[in-house]
């Protein structure tokens, strides 16, 4: 039996068209993933979360993912996991050293655990954990002081980039009675 996770057609097009596109500033990267999260809600193709992997040195987009938990019937199909898997496949390696993950929201416990294993050196988060919890999502139990612990491991963590815009997407999803899990 094979396992297949399929990105929505609109995101596959974006990944093809935007691959290698230069995003110089963190704010540009954040705006890009927030727009993807908004589109995922608008097209009703998954939850209100998106993430993308960028080359740290060049700022080039490597891959983007959105939350597909409900449509894929797969609890691990989070935006961050999708973006990491696609980047690893695109680069033909299991490691994402030299890469930055930008997520529309702080990572849940599962995605947070995948960061050191993936080799990522930088993580940028837009909305906070508490923002996702405010609309009913369960983000799981995370280590206390996780930001400091990841920093000690050589992983830079940057938070609250374009937070208010990311929160708007979460609130819109809740207003539309999106599936909360």
């Amino acid at each position: 039996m094979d396992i297949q996770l399929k990105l929505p057609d609109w995101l596959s097009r974006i990944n093809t068209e935007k691959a290698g596109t230069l995003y110089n500033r963190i704010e540009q990267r954040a705006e890009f993933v927030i727009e993807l999260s908004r589109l995922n809600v608008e097209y009703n193709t998954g939850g209100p979360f998106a993430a993308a992997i960028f080359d740290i040195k060049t700022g080039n987009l490597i891959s983007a993912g959105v939350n597909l938990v409900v449509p894929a019937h797969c609890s691990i199909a989070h935006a961050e996991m999708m973006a990491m898997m696609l980047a690893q496949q695109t680069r033909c390696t299991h490691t994402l050293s030299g890469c930055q993950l930008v997520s529309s929201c702080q990572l849940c416990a599962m995605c947070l655990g995948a960061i050191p294993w993936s080799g990522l050196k930088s993580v940028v988060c837009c909305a906070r954990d508490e923002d996702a919890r405010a609309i009913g999502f369960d983000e799981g139990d995370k280590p206390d002081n996780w930001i400091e612990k990841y920093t000690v491991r050589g992983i830079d963590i940057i938070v609250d980039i374009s937070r208010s815009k990311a929160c708007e997407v979460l609130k819109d999803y809740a207003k539309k009675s999106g599936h909360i899990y």
Side-chain angles (χ1 to χ4, degrees):
M1 177 185 287
D2 291 336
I3 297 173
Q4 294 184 353
L5 294 171
K6 185 176 178 345
L7 295 175
D9 290 339
W10 64 267
L11 182 56
S12 292
R13 280 192 303 278
I14 288 173
N15 269 316
T16 300
E17 293 167 5
K18 301 279 186 178
T21 299
L22 179 63
Y23 293 84
N24 288 321
R25 296 179 8 268
I26 290 173
E27 293 80 11
Q28 290 175 305
R29 298 170 195 175
E31 296 290 329
F32 174 72
V33 298
I34 292 167
E35 177 62 11
L36 295 180
S37 67
R38 187 192 68 73
L39 289 170
N40 209 34
V41 172
E42 180 182 322
Y43 294 141
N44 196 30
T45 49
F49 305 102
I53 305 289
F54 297 88
D55 184 288
I56 291 175
K57 289 181 184 174
T58 66
N60 287 335
L61 173 66
I62 298 169
S63 67
V66 293
N67 180 285
L68 301 174
V69 169
V70 173
H73 310 291
C74 183
S75 62
I76 65 168
H78 289 203
E80 299 85 357
M81 302 299 277
M82 299 301 294
M84 285 188 275
M85 288 188 292
L86 185 56
Q88 290 165 335
Q89 294 297 301
T90 299
R91 298 177 86 206
C92 297
T93 181
H94 66 282
T95 183
L96 296 174
S97 60
C99 294
Q100 178 180 68
L101 169 71
V102 179
S103 178
S104 63
C105 191
Q106 280 185 2
L107 283 59
C108 72
M110 175 185 65
C111 295
L112 191 62
I115 297 303
W117 293 105
S118 71
L120 286 162
K121 294 300 175 193
S122 177
V123 176
V124 176
C125 305
C126 299
R128 292 183 183 178
D129 174 274
E130 63 204 54
D131 302 325
R133 289 181 192 273
I135 67 165
F137 280 97
D138 180 357
E139 299 299 283
D141 296 328
K142 301 178 194 178
D144 292 333
N145 304 316
W146 68 269
I147 293 174
E148 293 82 9
K149 289 177 180 176
Y150 277 52
T151 301
V152 167
R153 292 180 78 134
I155 303 168
D156 294 324
I157 307 292
I158 303 164
V159 297
D160 292 345
I161 303 298
S162 301
R163 180 182 177 200
S164 62
K165 290 181 182 179
C167 287
E168 288 174 21
V169 176
L170 294 172
K171 291 174 186 173
D172 184 50
Y173 182 77
K175 283 181 195 170
K176 291 180 177 179
S177 299
H179 188 79
I180 306 291
Y181 43 90

